[in-house]
Amino acid sequence: MADQTAAKPAGVWPTVKPFVNGGASGMLATCVIQPIDMIKVRIQLGQGSAVQVTKNMLANEGIGTFYKGLSAGLLRQATYTTARLGSFKILTNKAIAANDGKPLPLYQKALCGLTAGAIGASVGSPADLALIRMQADATLPAAQRRHYKNAFHALYRIVSDEGVLSLWKGAGPTVVRAMALNMGMLASYDQSVEFFRDNVGLGEGATIVGASAVSGFFAAACSLPFDYVKTQIQKMQPDATGKYPYTGSLDCTMKTLKAGGPLKFYTGFPVYCVRIAPHVMMTWIFLNQINKFEKKIGL
């Protein structure tokens, strides 16, 4: 009987492991990256350059403001990254098995990344909305501020004020952005690991860091246009007549193209890259360390 009980977790753990490890690595990375994320949102909301925004935030709101929305950021990783990294691992393992154990071609990795991104974003969309609202709150006129205390208070208020379905407000662009980001991030990471390890002959540490950097760049380049549209949709407020500036993502995309051309979607790319790439890098590095530690203790 004791043997059966001991054997039981072994059956569940291999299935749960990629999800637990993915979520943990994403949450650790968020703790490191949160201040940069705050600055990125303020720049996208048109408050000036990175240096200006940082100075103003420190002078007017103090150092604590850089970690405003941390609870929503962590909740988002616990839902979104848990789901996307876990499902990517399971999808690629299934695809490798179907491929007789041979490495997957890039297009199959990209498809797995797209699917994992869609799954992750659907699960993580409510936390993402709470995070954007909490970060943008201080930039609104006093009368329009929502004063959310933390992520759970934000979710509770959104449900009670606007209804359950509004938790998925802007979920369309969120899912599309996540598909683009994860296609760039997940496929390029696996491909880069194979390249650096097998073709260049780098050691384990250098391979992980190099592949993480490549993965971070492609994640940022693929996803910024979608991120720009998503942020505009999620933060929009109705005017005095109750009319919203955009009717949806496509309307926002067309109006932005008309007003500023295609490069408008890459507003703040250096800061976005500095925000996305390190988070992606930290996530992979933490994930690698977690896997090594589990191997060491026999998990």
Side-chain angles (χ1 to χ4, degrees):
M1 185 74 189
D3 284 353
Q4 277 182 324
T5 327
K8 207 173 180 188
V12 179
W13 177 241
T15 313
V16 175
K17 183 180 166 180
F19 292 94
V20 172
N21 292 359
S25 60
M27 288 169 86
L28 287 167
T30 291
C31 292
V32 178
I33 301 300
Q34 179 75 11
I36 303 170
D37 198 25
M38 266 312 272
I39 295 164
K40 181 210 77 166
V41 169
R42 298 287 179 95
I43 288 169
Q44 284 186 332
L45 297 174
Q47 293 195 347
S49 70
V51 177
Q52 275 176 304
V53 167
T54 310
K55 274 186 184 162
N56 291 346
M57 284 168 73
L58 275 173
N60 303 333
E61 300 163 66
I63 200 151
T65 193
F66 289 101
Y67 279 94
K68 199 177 254 175
L70 180 65
S71 60
L74 291 175
L75 179 65
R76 181 171 179 269
Q77 292 302 320
T79 50
Y80 167 61
T81 299
T82 299
R84 69 186 172 131
L85 290 184
S87 50
F88 181 71
K89 188 78 179 152
I90 283 167
L91 288 166
T92 48
N93 286 349
K94 289 250 189 298
I96 288 168
N99 207 20
D100 300 326
K102 291 197 285 286
L104 297 179
L106 184 61
Y107 81 91
Q108 286 189 7
K109 289 175 189 153
L111 282 173
C112 291
L114 276 172
T115 311
I119 293 167
S122 304
V123 175
S125 196
D128 191 48
L129 178 66
L131 178 63
I132 292 274
R133 291 262 188 107
M134 286 169 79
Q135 287 180 332
D137 207 39
T139 68
L140 296 173
Q144 290 179 357
R145 287 185 193 170
R146 298 180 174 104
H147 302 295
Y148 299 137
K149 295 189 190 80
N150 55 45
F152 295 104
H153 179 237
L155 293 174
Y156 168 74
R157 280 272 308 281
I158 293 166
V159 171
S160 58
D161 297 349
E162 303 164 51
V164 174
L165 287 180
S166 63
L167 288 174
W168 279 271
K169 189 183 263 183
T174 304
V175 170
V176 173
R177 171 192 177 266
M179 288 168 77
L181 186 146
N182 285 289
M183 181 186 73
M185 168 185 169
L186 301 172
S188 67
Y189 179 76
D190 272 16
Q191 198 71 19
S192 303
V193 166
E194 286 166 24
F195 175 75
F196 288 133
R197 189 185 56 212
D198 305 338
N199 299 33
V200 184
L202 293 181
E204 190 199 5
T207 295
I208 298 295
V209 172
S212 301
V214 172
S215 170
F217 175 79
F218 279 105
C222 291
S223 65
L224 179 57
F226 301 102
D227 184 76
Y228 182 86
V229 171
K230 178 181 77 81
T231 304
Q232 298 301 320
I233 296 285
Q234 285 183 326
K235 77 173 183 71
M236 68 182 177
Q237 291 266 3
D239 60 18
T241 60
K243 196 169 176 285
Y244 283 97
Y246 309 113
T247 54
S249 310
L250 191 62
D251 184 46
C252 178
T253 305
M254 297 319 289
K255 281 181 178 165
T256 305
L257 261 178
K258 216 178 217 172
L263 287 179
K264 181 73 176 159
F265 294 107
Y266 281 92
T267 301
F269 182 70
V271 172
Y272 184 73
C273 205
V274 166
R275 146 77 184 96
I276 290 286
H279 193 282
V280 169
M281 284 180 75
M282 299 302 267
T283 302
W284 287 126
I285 290 164
F286 279 127
L287 186 58
N288 188 51
Q289 291 303 315
I290 290 167
N291 284 332
K292 268 166 80 173
F293 176 70
E294 286 173 350
K295 213 175 218 170
K296 206 169 164 184
I297 60 169
L299 263 181

